[in-house]
Amino acid sequence: MTKKSRGKWVSLLLLSMITVLSVSACSGNSGSGKETAATNKPEQSAATGGEATEAPDELKPHKLTLVYPGTPQTDEAVVEEALNKLLTAKINATIDLMPIDWGAWDDKVNLMIAGRDVIDIYFTAQWNGHANNVSKGAFIPLNDLIDQYGQGIKETLDPAFLEGAKINGKNYGVPTNKELASAGGIVYRKDVTDELGIDMSAVKEPKDLDAVYAVVKEKRPDLVPLYTNGAVFNAHYFGNYDFLGDSTIPGALLKDENGTTVAPVEDSARYQDYLKLARDFYVKGYINADAATTQVAPQDAWNAGKVFSTIEPMKPGKDAEIASAAGIPGKTAQIIMTSKTVATSETAGSMLGISSTSTNPERAMMLINLLHTDKEINNLLNFGIEGVHYTKNGEIISPTGKTADYSPGSAWMFGSQFLNYVWDTEAPDKWEQFKAFNEGAISSPALGFVFDSEPVKSEVGALANVIRQFQKAVETGSVEPEQGLKEYRQALKDAGIDKVIAEKQKQFDDFLASK
């Protein structure tokens, strides 16, 4: 596929998405008269998006479990009770919210999957081992369930999301309806830069942060200039690495270039330059000393008031989302530092998957459908109870003295973000900005391709152990990059990275030949 034809393809894809999102965004305008059928009639669309097959009183009661990464909230039980009243009326179900702290997420969720814990719904994403977990049998295929119980999803979600998230022609997760383009950048404390007289307009790329962090370190020693618990500038969304479906499996292309040769990112000049910069910042004390080992996720560090800046996947209002969850509304700003790109991975960057241990997958899909179609349930899960955790003026919400007791900051994980209310510290036209953000994104050479790891699953397992041992230390700047990278690359080679790369290349070549 040529660059020109790829550009036409993604333009059509984005145009299609923008059309659908326009409908979704209109459904969030109170009194607009342009609400969708799914939004107008949630009682009908609760189970099937408008074609109910069973009334709630014909369904046996069922308790659904929802496992996702995030800080447990003080008022979780209160919100659960309110959710249960709505869910009982609509699908005769109740819910057990099971957040797991970000720092412990990978280890705990892997243990739950390996231990075959009885769970209904897991958060899952391509950057969080989705394809690998599919190969382990963690999730069930959802296509038939979506057809039967997820008509609201199909009516409101751009087809590009479901198509791009498929593995071997099947969906194992329902993507969140949100932004499609991707970019990397920083979120920082604007109140601190104002206080210290730092001009952030001069910051265009990562190296420009050196002068900023030097001042913050000297003048505000109570703050970590750049907090991380993992990759710094080599995060996949910052480095613009396309891992062809699962960023936990080595071998990638650069999304913002035209190459079609799959290679280890560790061999690229971009990766190695970013390692050197991270090491420089670490040695200067800009990065938290425990970056390679801490279990404290960036949002938790924000919540504790210890952070000046973090590296983040960008979108309109990312800074406001972080500030809201941290209880510092209006005190943050953001800077995009990379090209905007679109890859298959973005379609699967946030999903809800139904566990293969679920005792009622049908009811689980009914809940996921509600999160895509029911405004009241969606916002209750994301923001808590109106009049308690927020006050509401049309579609704009404002904090109360109880906001901090339920502020998970996880709206990008659940259903449709285009149903979400907008905080009074966010741009009122936030959802219009989302549509504009998707325009002009560079398409990855591998757009539409998803790697099947089944032929090399033993090597993928061995490589996962190597990554767990080396990656954080190397990418946070915690070790000298030349020696650390040398050991890391050798360990990857010993674990079979060459075989995985060859298999990725073979499958990708077949994909290109079929275009």
Side-chain angles (χ1 to χ4, degrees), residues 92-131:
N92 202 15
T94 56
I95 192 167
D96 181 9
L97 300 177
M98 299 175 64
I100 297 173
D101 278 314
W102 273 104
W105 168 256
D106 286 341
D107 290 339
K108 285 190 176 182
V109 80
N110 286 337
L111 285 173
M112 293 172 76
I113 289 173
R116 304 292 294 162
D117 288 17
V118 179
I119 298 295
D120 290 295
I121 303 169
Y122 283 106
F123 170 81
T124 182
Q126 65 84 24
W127 50 265
N128 201 224
H130 177 67

Side-chain angles (χ1 to χ4, degrees), residues 152-444:
I153 296 167
K154 294 177 71 173
E155 289 168 6
T156 58
L157 185 64
D158 189 279
F161 279 97
L162 286 170
E163 187 62 32
K166 286 180 178 178
I167 296 177
N168 289 334
K170 297 179 180 179
N171 289 104
Y172 293 87
V174 178
T176 304
N177 195 356
K178 60 184 190 71
E179 81 284 354
L180 185 59
S182 173
I186 65 162
V187 171
Y188 67 94
R189 286 280 297 271
K190 185 178 185 301
D191 61 327
V192 173
T193 58
D194 290 346
E195 169 198 331
L196 301 180
I198 300 173
D199 179 12
M200 295 299 286
S201 66
V203 177
K204 306 295 184 184
E205 54 185 322
K207 67 180 182 180
D208 298 333
L209 291 166
D210 193 341
V212 175
Y213 291 157
V215 176
V216 173
K217 185 175 186 296
E218 178 187 358
K219 303 293 187 181
R220 288 295 302 268
D222 57 312
L223 298 175
V224 177
L226 176 56
Y227 184 86
T228 186
N229 69 337
V232 184
F233 304 115
N234 273 310
H236 69 92
Y237 54 82
F238 202 99
N240 266 331
Y241 306 132
D242 185 347
F243 286 90
L244 312 182
D246 190 329
S247 64
T248 66
I249 301 176
L253 304 171
L254 297 179
K255 290 191 288 183
D256 52 351
E257 295 187 1
N258 297 320
T260 57
T261 300
V262 182
V265 295
E266 296 81 9
D267 292 350
S268 70
R270 180 180 300 180
Y271 182 91
Q272 294 175 27
D273 287 344
Y274 279 157
L275 283 192
K276 292 174 184 175
L277 185 60
R279 178 60 176 174
D280 181 49
F281 283 8
Y282 185 88
V283 171
K284 289 176 177 176
Y286 300 161
I287 296 173
N288 47 302
D290 62 351
T293 58
T294 182
Q295 293 282 300
V296 179
Q299 186 63 62
D300 295 328
W302 277 107
N303 296 349
K306 299 177 180 178
V307 175
F308 169 72
S309 74
T310 52
I311 302 295
E312 298 288 345
M314 288 286 100
K315 62 182 177 181
K318 180 68 176 185
D319 53 340
E321 286 185 4
I322 288 175
S324 174
I328 51 171
K331 294 185 178 181
T332 59
Q334 66 186 45
I335 300 173
I336 293 177
M337 293 183 170
T338 72
S339 302
K340 292 190 300 183
T341 59
V342 175
T344 309
S345 55
E346 273 70 69
T347 65
S350 173
M351 300 185 290
L352 294 177
I354 297 177
S355 171
S356 55
T357 63
S358 172
T359 60
N360 198 323
E362 296 81 9
R363 207 76 57 90
M365 182 55 69
M366 292 179 193
L367 172 61
I368 295 172
N369 190 70
L370 280 172
L371 294 176
H372 279 262
T373 58
D374 192 295
K375 198 174 190 74
E376 185 177 13
I377 286 175
N378 181 294
N379 284 290
L380 180 55
L381 173 60
N382 285 309
F383 304 117
I385 300 169
E386 182 181 356
V388 177
H389 302 110
Y390 64 89
T391 57
K392 182 168 164 283
N393 180 16
E395 298 297 300
I396 307 299
I397 58 176
S398 302
T400 69
K402 291 277 290 177
T403 297
D405 292 337
Y406 192 82
S407 187
S410 303
W412 57 277
M413 297 184 197
F414 303 129
S416 175
Q417 280 213 270
F418 297 91
L419 297 177
N420 293 168
Y421 300 137
V422 177
W423 286 104
D424 59 10
T425 53
E426 297 179 293
D429 64 344
K430 177 178 178 178
W431 303 124
E432 292 300 316
Q433 290 187 27
F434 264 51
K435 288 181 285 182
F437 179 71
N438 288 325
E439 297 175 355
I442 300 168
S443 58
S444 167

